[in-house]
Amino acid sequence: MNIMDHSFLLICLLVIVFLAIKYYSPKIKGYIGENKASKALKRLNTEKYTVLNNIELKIKGSSSQIDHIIVSNYGIFVIETKNYKGWILGYEKDKSWIQAIYQYRRKFYNPILQNQGHIYALKHVLKNYQYLRYYSIITFTKRATLKTKTYTDVVYINKLVKTIKKYDHDHINEYTKQEIVAKILAAKINRRNKDKALRANSNTNKNISCPNCGGHLMERRGQYGVFLGCINFPRCKYTRNKK
């Protein structure tokens, strides 16, 4: 292989590295931010909060990728995670916000408006539950310095759980909460194996009662196939094989 061949291969390699940095680095940073938020949300009480990560919905031909949805006794929390560094400047209704790092300035779509689109998609899936309360939260990693003025909660990830817990008016019962989780998982595009344990058939068998708590049993799908589980899970963990 001559010098020209080596030079050509080196140029090709540099182009590949450049394209990888340009197109995949934002995705990697986004994944890191979502992962940090997921770890923080694990501190929530699983009896009151069901956390769904990376849910993609397709509504009227448009896809909506939602970082985190929390179905709780207190309402539905829809969380958009950002892993930007530098100063973050913006107001509630601005179309774009600004990321500032020294002299560098970059505009990005207002995440509050972005999250409103996510909530719209979620409301479409849950249109039979008109009374639900939706809470929009935008969370940033500590790489950012927030200089925002908003009514919507825009917080650092280390304040995320505390922000969620300030909404404490109980208005969703366990039966409805499990139904909502089932409908979201049934509507999602990006079905993964890790969600199978959470997936539930929305058709509850009201003729079969749980011997432990008296709640209805509903179909669920787990590692070993379909089974019947109590609607009051995780408070009641009764299960049995489906005949």
Side-chain angles (χ1 to χ4, degrees):
M1 186 179 290
N2 56 39
I3 295 176
M4 291 293 293
D5 292 333
H6 280 293
S7 298
F8 178 75
L9 289 175
L10 180 60
I11 291 172
C12 290
L13 180 61
L14 290 173
V15 170
I16 291 171
V17 171
F18 172 78
L19 291 175
I21 293 173
K22 181 177 180 180
Y23 292 104
Y24 289 100
S25 181
K27 293 183 179 180
I28 293 172
K29 290 178 182 177
Y31 173 78
I32 292 172
E34 290 175 28
N35 190 49
K36 287 182 178 180
S38 296
K39 288 182 178 179
L41 294 174
K42 288 181 180 179
R43 304 198 329 252
L44 292 168
N45 185 338
T46 56
E47 291 187 3
K48 296 181 178 180
Y49 303 89
T50 299
V51 180
L52 306 175
N53 300 309
N54 190 27
I55 299 294
E56 186 175 357
L57 304 173
K58 190 170 185 179
I59 307 299
K60 298 181 179 179
S62 299
S63 295
S64 183
Q65 192 276 325
I66 307 175
D67 292 339
H68 314 281
I69 301 171
I70 302 175
V71 183
S72 76
N73 297 38
Y74 316 110
I76 311 296
F77 296 88
V78 183
I79 301 169
E80 175 65 23
T81 303
K82 297 297 183 186
N83 189 21
Y84 295 162
K85 65 178 179 180
W87 282 20
I88 305 298
L89 304 99
Y91 291 89
E92 181 85 17
K93 296 182 179 180
D94 288 347
K95 183 177 180 180
S96 299
W97 284 9
I98 296 175
Q99 177 190 24
I101 306 173
Y102 299 106
Q103 300 301 315
Y104 172 81
R105 296 286 189 277
R106 184 181 77 88
K107 290 184 178 181
F108 62 98
Y109 186 52
N110 182 345
I112 293 177
L113 301 181
Q114 182 182 1
N115 219 30
Q116 287 177 1
H118 297 334
I119 292 174
Y120 172 82
L122 197 52
K123 284 182 176 180
H124 184 83
V125 171
L126 303 175
K127 57 188 175 184
N128 292 332
Y129 303 88
Q130 299 293 331
Y131 58 89
L132 289 179
R133 297 177 184 175
Y134 294 84
Y135 304 107
S136 177
I137 301 178
I138 314 301
T139 184
F140 283 80
T141 63
K142 291 294 288 184
R143 298 172 75 234
T145 300
L146 298 178
K147 300 291 183 178
T148 54
K149 293 183 179 180
T150 64
Y151 299 106
T152 300
D153 291 307
V154 180
V155 300
Y156 295 109
I157 285 178
N158 64 331
K159 300 291 185 182
L160 180 56
V161 170
K162 183 178 179 180
T163 301
I164 291 169
K165 288 185 175 180
K166 76 179 184 179
Y167 300 99
D168 57 1
H169 181 68
D170 195 326
H171 76 286
I172 299 179
N173 60 42
E174 194 65 29
Y175 177 86
T176 302
K177 192 168 70 172
Q178 292 296 330
E179 271 193 343
I180 290 170
V181 171
K183 285 187 178 295
I184 294 172
L185 292 178
K188 66 178 289 191
I189 296 174
N190 54 326
R191 294 183 172 88
R192 295 180 177 179
N193 290 335
K194 66 180 183 180
D195 288 325
K196 288 183 178 180
L198 285 170
R199 190 184 308 278
N201 190 318
S202 59
N203 294 322
T204 305
N205 192 331
K206 298 182 179 180
N207 296 321
I208 306 176
S209 296
C210 172
N212 286 355
C213 70
H216 301 306
L217 298 185
M218 65 190 305
E219 283 188 7
R220 300 180 186 276
R221 187 176 297 275
Q223 183 178 359
Y224 302 104
V226 179
F227 64 96
L228 294 178
C230 182
I231 191 69
N232 292 320
F233 176 86
R235 188 172 68 248
C236 176
K237 295 181 173 60
Y238 175 82
T239 62
R240 75 179 222 190
N241 293 331
K242 183 181 179 183
K243 297 179 180 180

